[in-house]
Amino acid sequence: MQPGKSIRKSESRRYERVDADGRLHILWDDATGQPKMSSGRIVNVSVEGVQVLVDEKIPARTYVYCTDPKLGIRGRASVRYCNYSKGKYQIGLEFSGGSGWTEPAAKPE
């Protein structure tokens, strides 16, 4: 590795991210223990995670329950990051037991 260069996090991922289009329903408890519900636009998905744009902040390390029947995503996930950008919050969710989504089969050439 050249001096001053760093290894990109994306190079260390176990599963490839795939662009996706869908709505993810998200349920969680806020800091006071009150149940919250939101819906976000899926940006990309992998076997163990999903990146979503939502309207409200969901703090990192919050556990959420997610579903998107169309893509087969379902289960409990941890918010890995929550970044504000262009009027939305971009969150990364990691599913310890897998997201339920499966990679599409490669198209024959």
Side-chain angles (χ1 to χ4, degrees):
M1 183 164 57
Q2 295 176 348
K5 298 278 183 176
S6 63
I7 296 175
R8 290 179 44 181
K9 185 171 183 165
S10 63
E11 293 172 358
S12 66
R13 294 187 188 283
R14 288 180 283 180
Y15 298 100
E16 179 182 352
R17 288 183 176 185
V18 176
D19 291 342
D21 185 32
R23 298 295 298 175
L24 190 67
H25 302 286
I26 305 168
L27 305 169
W28 78 98
D29 291 337
D30 68 14
T32 66
Q34 294 299 307
K36 303 280 281 185
M37 183 172 63
S38 187
S39 180
R41 184 177 67 80
I42 297 170
V43 176
N44 60 53
V45 65
S46 76
V47 172
E48 291 187 344
V50 63
Q51 186 178 60
V52 185
L53 291 176
V54 294
D55 290 329
E56 62 185 298
K57 183 177 183 175
I58 305 175
R61 294 181 293 283
T62 299
Y63 282 98
V64 299
Y65 181 78
C66 308
T67 62
D68 180 333
K70 179 180 142 192
L71 293 176
I73 298 170
R74 66 192 165 288
R76 189 168 181 242
S78 172
V79 176
R80 301 296 292 168
Y81 60 85
C82 180
N83 301 318
Y84 186 76
S85 176
K86 299 178 183 175
K88 298 277 185 183
Y89 290 94
Q90 186 176 58
I91 61 171
L93 301 175
E94 180 180 43
F95 294 80
S96 60
S99 66
W101 176 83
T102 55
E103 292 184 63
K107 294 180 182 176
E109 293 184 27

